[in-house]
Amino acid sequence: MKQKNALSKHPSGWPALIAAVSLAACVPSGEAPPLDPQLEEQTSGTRALLQAVSVVDVQTVWASGHEGTFARTVDGGATWQSGVVPGAAALQFRDVHAVDATTAYLLSAGPGDMSRIFKTTDAGRTWELQFQNDDPDAFFDCLDFWDAQRGLAFSDAVNGRLIVIRTENGGAQWDRVPAIQLPAAREGEGGFAASGTCLVVYGSGYAWIGTGAGGGARVFRTTDWGLTWSVHQTPVVSGTGTSGITSLGFWNEARGIALGGELGELGDFTDNVATTADGGETWTLGGRPTFAGAIYGSSLVPDAAGVVVAVGPRGASISSNEGMMWTALDSLSYWAVGFAAPDAGWMVGPEGRITKVRLYQ
């Protein structure tokens, strides 16, 4: 949304503002996280703010960010290759979705025609512009795909409705969902293009969109590939133009988590985590991560029941019980995180920062 622009005002992200915490010295507030997390700084090859990450498997990862930047590894991060999409140096790629080692989509977020979708099928050597927004009032925030062909992207509300576009042919054509199929938005309601995780898909046709501002932190839900939608209130902090949901994750069709906060207050601790057990129809408050300020991104950890990692400008935290209790993971600034397995996760952030996370020795 245009207000996210809490984000846009800080093009290089925030520096770490709290002292480094030794993981060995961390005292959990509840159930302990997975055994002995290990962090490894990797060399991305760029100094641009990296704002999104898409993990294909334990070897293949794509990241994207400001200044038209993307980065890619096919050896688990031992080496990264970074580049700039030709003609896109002024764009902020706030979301990336990777299909495999050669095929990926980038979403640039911004007002009007700054919102675009690009696709590569040759590992980033060339890029095709698939979609360019022509509505001057729209601002696209996130995209996600169920498979190589079917995906969604969405924009902040225009004329009282979110804008949702769908593809069923790998992005060759993007069609707008009729506004009548979307619940009414509140004034100023939209997403936060923080980490590319304010829209997530799951299984056969399930998807969720998290919103903020507009007087509430809400979750829009579809069960039919984005054709029709319902909307549901959450207890995540809201009420200002810079508060609400930034990130979502679902373990299955029923169990999920919504995360966010107040993006305008770096030093505050707020009610910024909620969980659902009925597919997003009702939500209850979870616990607060160990770092202050808003959560920008999150990732569920495959093959680690109930484990979720949350990141933000003031650090990273881990929960082993679906967001009810949290332990500190790092104090550096991150915007996004993704996992392929408990020993293969990546956090990305300012100045080209990429940190690999292993949750077990």
Side-chain angles (χ1 to χ4, degrees):
M1 58 179 58
K2 287 106 185 144
Q3 297 267 29
K4 64 175 76 72
N5 318 325
L7 304 179
S8 298
K9 293 175 183 176
H10 301 276
S12 60
W14 288 273
L17 297 176
I18 56 178
V21 179
S22 168
L23 290 174
C26 288
V27 179
S29 58
E31 184 177 341
L35 179 64
D36 198 13
Q38 304 293 310
L39 306 183
E40 173 196 341
E41 185 175 345
Q42 297 187 328
T43 301
S44 66
T46 179
R47 299 292 290 176
L49 165 61
L50 296 177
Q51 203 164 336
V53 62
S54 181
V55 180
V56 177
D57 54 41
V58 298
Q59 298 296 325
T60 305
V61 186
W62 293 69
S64 68
H66 290 204
E67 301 171 23
T69 300
F70 68 94
R72 168 183 168 272
T73 182
V74 292
D75 57 13
T79 58
W80 287 84
Q81 298 81 41
S82 63
V84 175
V85 175
L91 300 180
Q92 299 177 359
F93 287 127
R94 300 194 188 186
D95 201 356
V96 55
H97 176 81
V99 176
D100 52 36
T102 59
T103 302
Y105 299 84
L106 297 174
L107 170 72
S108 64
D113 65 5
M114 300 294 280
S115 286
R116 306 175 193 179
I117 297 173
F118 293 81
K119 181 181 182 180
T120 182
T121 57
D122 58 8
R125 286 186 289 275
T126 62
W127 294 87
E128 173 195 0
L129 176 61
Q130 289 194 320
F131 169 81
Q132 183 166 323
N133 172 52
D134 61 4
D135 187 328
D137 296 320
F139 191 119
F140 277 75
D141 300 290
C142 293
L143 86 169
D144 203 3
F145 282 74
W146 288 278
D147 52 39
Q149 299 299 316
R150 292 176 292 191
L152 297 172
F154 88 98
S155 160
D156 297 346
V158 176
N159 296 325
R161 295 286 194 280
L162 297 182
I163 297 174
V164 177
I165 59 175
R166 304 171 62 248
T167 183
E168 295 183 334
N169 55 11
Q173 178 177 336
W174 291 88
D175 297 313
R176 182 169 174 173
V177 175
I180 193 65
Q181 303 298 341
L182 289 151
R186 295 171 177 170
E187 184 177 357
E189 188 170 11
F192 289 103
S195 64
T197 54
C198 54
L199 161 63
V200 296
V201 304
Y202 182 86
S204 297
Y206 288 83
W208 298 265
I209 292 170
T211 66
R218 305 200 295 171
V219 172
F220 289 70
R221 174 177 182 255
T222 181
T223 61
D224 58 8
W225 309 98
L227 295 174
T228 61
W229 295 79
S230 59
V231 66
H232 310 278
Q233 187 71 39
T234 80
V236 170
V237 63
S238 61
T240 71
T242 54
S243 61
I245 297 168
T246 59
S247 186
L248 294 164
F250 276 78
W251 285 274
N252 54 37
E253 294 92 338
R255 291 168 41 243
I257 188 167
L259 311 95
E262 172 54 73
L263 283 74
E265 299 294 337
L266 286 179
D268 288 355
F269 286 88
T270 60
D271 291 331
N272 57 357
V273 175
T275 62
T276 182
D278 58 12
E281 294 188 17
T282 61
W283 296 82
T284 57
L285 276 177
R288 296 179 178 181
T290 58
F291 58 86
I295 298 164
Y296 276 21
S298 67
S299 177
L300 311 184
V301 180
D303 303 319
V307 177
V308 56
V309 172
V311 300
R314 283 200 162 185
S317 296
I318 185 170
S319 170
S320 58
N321 55 9
E322 299 187 9
M324 299 308 297
M325 301 173 187
W326 297 84
T327 296
L329 183 61
D330 200 0
S331 61
L332 296 179
S333 176
Y334 296 102
W335 288 51
V337 56
F339 275 82
D343 63 348
W346 286 266
M347 303 185 295
V348 303
E351 298 182 345
R353 177 174 298 129
I354 298 180
T355 300
K356 187 171 185 177
V357 185
R358 296 178 176 89
L359 299 184
Y360 299 99
Q361 279 273 28

